[in-house]
Amino acid sequence: MVREENVKLMSKIAIYEKREGKREIALSGYYKSDYVRMNVLKTVVFATIAFLAVAAVIVFYKLDYILANIFKIDYKSLGLGILLIYAVWVLVYWLIARILYAWRYEKARPNIIDYNHNLKKLE
C-alpha cells in the first residue's frame, strides 16, 4: 500500500530537483574552497579575454593616431598604464566573483542538507 507521507516526500524531492536542485546538487560535489577557486579562475580567464577584446577595439579606434605618432609614443609608460588598468580590472572581477560564489555556496548549503535528509527519510 502506498504511504501518503512517502508520496509527499517524493513530490517535495522532485520539485526541488526540478527547480533550484539542478544547480545546487551539482554544487554539492565540491568543497566550498574548491568551488569558489574554480569559478573565480573561470571568471579571471573571461575577464582577461574581455579586457583583450576591449583593448583591441580601442587600438582599432585609435589606429590613425597610433600610426601617425608611432615613433613619438612613450611605450614604457603606455605599457605600465595598460598593465595597471588590467590589474585593477582583474582585481575587481576577482573580488566580485569570490564574494558571489562563496555566497551562492553558503545559500545552497541548507537546501542540500534538507535534500539529503529527505532522501534518507525516504529510504
Side-chain angles (χ1 to χ4, degrees):
M1 182 167 199
V2 178
R3 290 179 44 193
E4 186 176 330
E5 181 182 318
N6 285 351
V7 172
K8 287 181 182 178
L9 202 53
M10 283 189 288
S11 297
K12 187 175 181 181
I13 290 170
I15 290 170
Y16 173 75
E17 287 175 347
K18 189 136 182 134
R19 293 184 183 160
E20 60 269 351
K22 288 179 184 177
R23 185 175 30 134
E24 291 178 356
I25 291 171
L27 181 139
S28 70
Y30 299 101
Y31 290 110
K32 179 181 177 182
S33 59
D34 293 340
Y35 175 75
V36 171
R37 282 185 197 136
M38 178 185 65
N39 285 301
V40 166
L41 180 63
K42 284 195 278 187
T43 301
V44 168
V45 168
F46 285 119
T48 300
I49 292 170
F51 182 82
L52 291 174
V54 169
V57 167
I58 291 172
V59 166
F60 286 130
Y61 181 71
K62 299 278 188 174
L63 198 56
D64 287 340
Y65 174 79
I66 293 171
L67 292 177
N69 298 308
I70 198 160
F71 296 113
K72 298 176 187 175
I73 297 174
D74 182 17
Y75 290 107
K76 184 178 179 182
S77 64
L78 179 65
L80 288 175
I82 290 172
L83 192 60
L84 180 66
I85 292 169
Y86 172 72
V88 170
W89 176 284
V90 168
L91 182 67
V92 167
Y93 274 95
W94 176 83
L95 185 62
I96 291 170
R98 184 142 174 86
I99 291 168
L100 177 71
Y101 288 112
W103 176 76
R104 280 186 186 173
Y105 190 91
E106 288 299 323
K107 183 181 158 209
R109 190 93 173 113
N111 294 338
I112 294 168
I113 291 171
D114 288 343
Y115 172 74
N116 288 331
H117 179 71
N118 288 339
L119 285 177
K120 286 180 183 176
K121 271 178 31 179
L122 189 60
E123 286 180 3

mmCIF file of all heavy atoms in Angstrom, residues 60-75:
data_model
loop_
_atom_site.group_PDB
_atom_site.id
_atom_site.type_symbol
_atom_site.label_atom_id
_atom_site.label_comp_id
_atom_site.label_asym_id
_atom_site.label_seq_id
_atom_site.Cartn_x
_atom_site.Cartn_y
_atom_site.Cartn_z
ATOM 1 N N PHE A 60 41.972 49.611 -32.540
ATOM 2 C CA PHE A 60 41.412 49.824 -33.875
ATOM 3 C C PHE A 60 40.774 51.204 -34.005
ATOM 4 O O PHE A 60 40.848 51.836 -35.066
ATOM 5 C CB PHE A 60 40.395 48.737 -34.232
ATOM 6 C CG PHE A 60 41.024 47.422 -34.567
ATOM 7 C CD1 PHE A 60 40.573 46.264 -33.967
ATOM 8 C CD2 PHE A 60 42.069 47.326 -35.472
ATOM 9 C CE1 PHE A 60 41.155 45.039 -34.266
ATOM 10 C CE2 PHE A 60 42.655 46.122 -35.782
ATOM 11 C CZ PHE A 60 42.202 44.970 -35.178
ATOM 12 N N TYR A 61 40.178 51.691 -32.928
ATOM 13 C CA TYR A 61 39.557 53.012 -32.951
ATOM 14 C C TYR A 61 40.615 54.112 -33.076
ATOM 15 O O TYR A 61 40.419 55.102 -33.769
ATOM 16 C CB TYR A 61 38.712 53.207 -31.686
ATOM 17 C CG TYR A 61 38.005 54.522 -31.615
ATOM 18 C CD1 TYR A 61 36.926 54.802 -32.446
ATOM 19 C CD2 TYR A 61 38.417 55.511 -30.730
ATOM 20 C CE1 TYR A 61 36.273 56.019 -32.391
ATOM 21 C CE2 TYR A 61 37.782 56.730 -30.661
ATOM 22 C CZ TYR A 61 36.701 56.981 -31.493
ATOM 23 O OH TYR A 61 36.068 58.191 -31.433
ATOM 24 N N LYS A 62 41.736 53.932 -32.391
ATOM 25 C CA LYS A 62 42.805 54.941 -32.371
ATOM 26 C C LYS A 62 43.926 54.639 -33.369
ATOM 27 O O LYS A 62 45.020 55.181 -33.253
ATOM 28 C CB LYS A 62 43.414 55.010 -30.961
ATOM 29 C CG LYS A 62 42.468 55.408 -29.881
ATOM 30 C CD LYS A 62 42.327 56.884 -29.857
ATOM 31 C CE LYS A 62 41.531 57.313 -28.633
ATOM 32 N NZ LYS A 62 41.485 58.748 -28.505
ATOM 33 N N LEU A 63 43.694 53.774 -34.317
ATOM 34 C CA LEU A 63 44.741 53.331 -35.230
ATOM 35 C C LEU A 63 45.359 54.487 -36.029
ATOM 36 O O LEU A 63 46.577 54.516 -36.230
ATOM 37 C CB LEU A 63 44.198 52.264 -36.177
ATOM 38 C CG LEU A 63 45.231 51.415 -36.894
ATOM 39 C CD1 LEU A 63 46.149 50.731 -35.912
ATOM 40 C CD2 LEU A 63 44.540 50.371 -37.752
ATOM 41 N N ASP A 64 44.573 55.456 -36.433
ATOM 42 C CA ASP A 64 45.108 56.616 -37.157
ATOM 43 C C ASP A 64 46.120 57.369 -36.296
ATOM 44 O O ASP A 64 47.205 57.719 -36.761
ATOM 45 C CB ASP A 64 43.987 57.565 -37.571
ATOM 46 C CG ASP A 64 43.158 57.027 -38.709
ATOM 47 O OD1 ASP A 64 43.661 56.131 -39.424
ATOM 48 O OD2 ASP A 64 42.019 57.495 -38.885
ATOM 49 N N TYR A 65 45.749 57.618 -35.064
ATOM 50 C CA TYR A 65 46.656 58.327 -34.148
ATOM 51 C C TYR A 65 47.918 57.502 -33.893
ATOM 52 O O TYR A 65 49.027 58.044 -33.878
ATOM 53 C CB TYR A 65 45.935 58.624 -32.834
ATOM 54 C CG TYR A 65 46.852 59.220 -31.789
ATOM 55 C CD1 TYR A 65 47.188 60.573 -31.832
ATOM 56 C CD2 TYR A 65 47.393 58.434 -30.784
ATOM 57 C CE1 TYR A 65 48.040 61.127 -30.899
ATOM 58 C CE2 TYR A 65 48.253 58.984 -29.840
ATOM 59 C CZ TYR A 65 48.571 60.321 -29.903
ATOM 60 O OH TYR A 65 49.421 60.861 -28.971
ATOM 61 N N ILE A 66 47.752 56.203 -33.686
ATOM 62 C CA ILE A 66 48.904 55.334 -33.398
ATOM 63 C C ILE A 66 49.868 55.331 -34.580
ATOM 64 O O ILE A 66 51.083 55.454 -34.406
ATOM 65 C CB ILE A 66 48.427 53.905 -33.057
ATOM 66 C CG1 ILE A 66 47.666 53.905 -31.730
ATOM 67 C CG2 ILE A 66 49.599 52.940 -32.985
ATOM 68 C CD1 ILE A 66 46.963 52.600 -31.418
ATOM 69 N N LEU A 67 49.370 55.198 -35.796
ATOM 70 C CA LEU A 67 50.240 55.159 -36.976
ATOM 71 C C LEU A 67 50.894 56.518 -37.250
ATOM 72 O O LEU A 67 52.034 56.577 -37.720
ATOM 73 C CB LEU A 67 49.464 54.685 -38.191
ATOM 74 C CG LEU A 67 49.020 53.215 -38.159
ATOM 75 C CD1 LEU A 67 48.185 52.885 -39.382
ATOM 76 C CD2 LEU A 67 50.218 52.296 -38.057
ATOM 77 N N ALA A 68 50.203 57.587 -36.961
ATOM 78 C CA ALA A 68 50.760 58.920 -37.178
ATOM 79 C C ALA A 68 51.859 59.244 -36.165
ATOM 80 O O ALA A 68 52.795 59.989 -36.471
ATOM 81 C CB ALA A 68 49.662 59.970 -37.108
ATOM 82 N N ASN A 69 51.753 58.704 -34.974
ATOM 83 C CA ASN A 69 52.711 59.012 -33.910
ATOM 84 C C ASN A 69 53.471 57.780 -33.440
ATOM 85 O O ASN A 69 53.821 57.679 -32.256
ATOM 86 C CB ASN A 69 51.968 59.636 -32.726
ATOM 87 C CG ASN A 69 51.296 60.923 -33.093
ATOM 88 O OD1 ASN A 69 51.930 61.819 -33.638
ATOM 89 N ND2 ASN A 69 50.002 61.013 -32.841
ATOM 90 N N ILE A 70 53.763 56.881 -34.336
ATOM 91 C CA ILE A 70 54.357 55.608 -33.960
ATOM 92 C C ILE A 70 55.725 55.759 -33.289
ATOM 93 O O ILE A 70 56.084 54.972 -32.414
ATOM 94 C CB ILE A 70 54.437 54.663 -35.181
ATOM 95 C CG1 ILE A 70 54.636 53.232 -34.715
ATOM 96 C CG2 ILE A 70 55.534 55.069 -36.138
ATOM 97 C CD1 ILE A 70 54.253 52.199 -35.744
ATOM 98 N N PHE A 71 56.492 56.790 -33.661
ATOM 99 C CA PHE A 71 57.820 56.980 -33.073
ATOM 100 C C PHE A 71 57.802 57.960 -31.902
ATOM 101 O O PHE A 71 58.802 58.082 -31.192
ATOM 102 C CB PHE A 71 58.801 57.472 -34.147
ATOM 103 C CG PHE A 71 59.006 56.452 -35.234
ATOM 104 C CD1 PHE A 71 58.570 56.698 -36.521
ATOM 105 C CD2 PHE A 71 59.632 55.249 -34.957
ATOM 106 C CE1 PHE A 71 58.750 55.758 -37.531
ATOM 107 C CE2 PHE A 71 59.819 54.303 -35.949
ATOM 108 C CZ PHE A 71 59.375 54.553 -37.244
ATOM 109 N N LYS A 72 56.716 58.652 -31.692
ATOM 110 C CA LYS A 72 56.626 59.649 -30.621
ATOM 111 C C LYS A 72 56.008 59.095 -29.333
ATOM 112 O O LYS A 72 56.105 59.723 -28.290
ATOM 113 C CB LYS A 72 55.796 60.843 -31.099
ATOM 114 C CG LYS A 72 56.390 61.574 -32.271
ATOM 115 C CD LYS A 72 55.463 62.667 -32.725
ATOM 116 C CE LYS A 72 55.973 63.296 -34.002
ATOM 117 N NZ LYS A 72 55.050 64.289 -34.544
ATOM 118 N N ILE A 73 55.367 57.966 -29.415
ATOM 119 C CA ILE A 73 54.661 57.409 -28.262
ATOM 120 C C ILE A 73 55.668 56.840 -27.266
ATOM 121 O O ILE A 73 56.621 56.163 -27.640
ATOM 122 C CB ILE A 73 53.681 56.307 -28.715
ATOM 123 C CG1 ILE A 73 52.607 56.892 -29.625
ATOM 124 C CG2 ILE A 73 53.039 55.629 -27.515
ATOM 125 C CD1 ILE A 73 51.682 55.866 -30.240
ATOM 126 N N ASP A 74 55.445 57.133 -25.978
ATOM 127 C CA ASP A 74 56.271 56.570 -24.909
ATOM 128 C C ASP A 74 55.692 55.197 -24.542
ATOM 129 O O ASP A 74 54.743 55.087 -23.768
ATOM 130 C CB ASP A 74 56.250 57.511 -23.702
ATOM 131 C CG ASP A 74 57.132 57.018 -22.574
ATOM 132 O OD1 ASP A 74 57.999 56.156 -22.817
ATOM 133 O OD2 ASP A 74 56.937 57.496 -21.435
ATOM 134 N N TYR A 75 56.283 54.165 -25.108
ATOM 135 C CA TYR A 75 55.728 52.815 -24.958
ATOM 136 C C TYR A 75 55.893 52.260 -23.545
ATOM 137 O O TYR A 75 55.086 51.446 -23.107
ATOM 138 C CB TYR A 75 56.358 51.870 -25.980
ATOM 139 C CG TYR A 75 55.910 52.162 -27.387
ATOM 140 C CD1 TYR A 75 56.767 52.761 -28.296
ATOM 141 C CD2 TYR A 75 54.615 51.879 -27.781
ATOM 142 C CE1 TYR A 75 56.349 53.050 -29.578
ATOM 143 C CE2 TYR A 75 54.178 52.163 -29.062
ATOM 144 C CZ TYR A 75 55.054 52.745 -29.956
ATOM 145 O OH TYR A 75 54.631 53.037 -31.221
#
